[in-house]
Amino acid sequence: MKAKIAKLAVLAAVSTAAGLMLNGVNAKADTTVTNQFTIQQTNNLSNPNSYTQNNVQLYSNGLAQTQTQTANAAASSVQNINIPSGYTLDAVRNVHNQAQANELEKTSINGVYNNNYQQDSGAVQEAVDINNLTPQQTVQMNQYALNLVNQVRYEFNEQPFIQNQNSIDTVKKMALEYQAKNESLLNGHWHDESILQGHAENISAFQIYINNVSGLRARPFDEAQGRDFINANNVPLFSVSNMDDLQAMIYYGVTLMLFKDADDTFGHAQNFLTNYQANLLSVYPSLTEGTGTGKYADGTTFTYKLQNVDMHFIWAGTDQASANQPSDANVTGWRLSQDHNHYVYYENNQPLSGRQYVELPTINGVGTSWYLIDNGVVQSGIQAWAGSYYYFDPANYLRDNNVWAIAWGNKYYFGNDGQAVTGVQNINGTYYYFTPGTYYLASKKDYVQSQWGDWYLVGDNGQLLSGVQQWAGSYYYFDPSTYLKVTNAYRQSQWGDWYLFGSDGRILTGVQQWAGSYYYFDPVTYLRVDNQYVQSQWGSWYLFGPDGRIVTGLYKWMGSLYYFDPVTYLKVTNQYVYLNGVRYWANASGQLSLAQ
């Protein structure tokens, strides 16, 4: 019998965030990674009897629960997610770029190492067909996912998300639309706005083993450990056959999106923890299939089936308890719009009028903050205000300073005072040029005038250029310290070679006067020529010595003596030359010999 240990090439578990924005969904591109996985030989499960899951505390509106435990026991039935040191709400909220995300993940990754799913013996006994979840299992799965996220929100004093049958049904419908269109993160697709219709979404995606190759079975998902998901190139392949496996898949999807999310600049975590726009969160999987190839230890190959499980965490549905807010009461404060896509500030039962930048109670109810309000609706993204433009974080709506933003295909930067910058700007030690009037970062090579009147050459990445640069049919040199064009200078380039630049800054070729002498610069390479007899741009020939200087007087070259006129620098031919009382004859080639 062959050794049943196989190497399988499949797709890794990945996830991505669709950030909440007022103007549509901010969906980031997902990453698919090919990895090597190992299926290990195991025994089949026995006694896959169904069971009724222990009741969990459910923050819901109108969703029936099975009352099988006391409230205290119910609250403790959700497995805790341990928060690593240094992982704070502010740390998550303040991730705006890749460098900040990478820095946070250095500490947050401990949340993946230190959080392991705890098997539930009761859930093991409930058989699950992930392709055909029962209504009860759908609710059960949603209760588990909701409470898992809310447990983390509770740690940060955030209000819990809720769900009801309407939100569950809505999200299930969306997930099945993904499935009908054969769309998965793991087969190269993305968040589908035609399905989401402006709702925010987090997706965790795993591939599971669904085949029955003789003697082989993947580890059940409930046996996974956090460390299994650290190395994206070596994630084991798991299977899902019972409710415990399904809960484990949800558990690791949530922990990875919270703590191992630098690739998406912690967009998942921000959705889970700093979402103040919508409170109805439900989850449902979409399923697509694939095929992989494996190899036994003896080299024999085989094929097997895989299933892509995209778990869609979507903020959607209708919350009847708040759908009609504000009520007839004298309302002052923040309220969600009826479509749950906007936060609106009410004052005496009316939306705050006009467009104004005003200090109000924070949306999450802690202290006060400054918001840009337009007829009550809080604004985010790039916004015009007080004769300039500012950037307001789509997650918390607060004005951001010293931050990059991309909109309408252009890149912008907002400085210390929050205003969009123009002209030449020093950003973290690098100089950039932002076009006055449009504010966007220069995106093509151009010679531009700064706000101080100086001229600079800017590259197609918006950065000021230095060293030797090609521009307008010639080459110029720009000082690495000042970035200004250099004139009348012999400078060393960024490649180590030396070049001469003239009065207009252009690189020089041919015979050129410099530093009290004449030199020759090659018309093709622009480099100084040494020890060569060359024809100038005027047609005359001159000899340049080992230091590049033009030669005059008596000079030995190529084994013969020559004489170069000290005034014209030309080689003397067909005439007598008197040097130090000695008479020489210069023949037609200029070679000297003693005259009789």
Side-chain angles (χ1 to χ4, degrees), residues 34 39 48 60 94 103 194 216 223 231 234 269 280 405 408 446 453 456 503 557 595:
T34 300
I39 284 184
S60 66
N94 292 325
E103 188 64 27
S194 67
L216 292 173
E223 294 181 7
N231 183 356
N234 192 28
L280 281 166
W408 314 295
D446 200 2
Y456 300 91
S503 58
W557 179 57

Side-chain angles (χ1 to χ4, degrees), residues 467-469 471-472 474-478 485 501 504-507:
V468 176
Q469 300 292 338
W471 172 249
S474 187
Y475 289 90
Y476 298 81
Y477 182 82
F478 297 87
K485 183 179 70 176
F501 299 88
D504 60 359
R506 295 184 185 185
I507 199 167

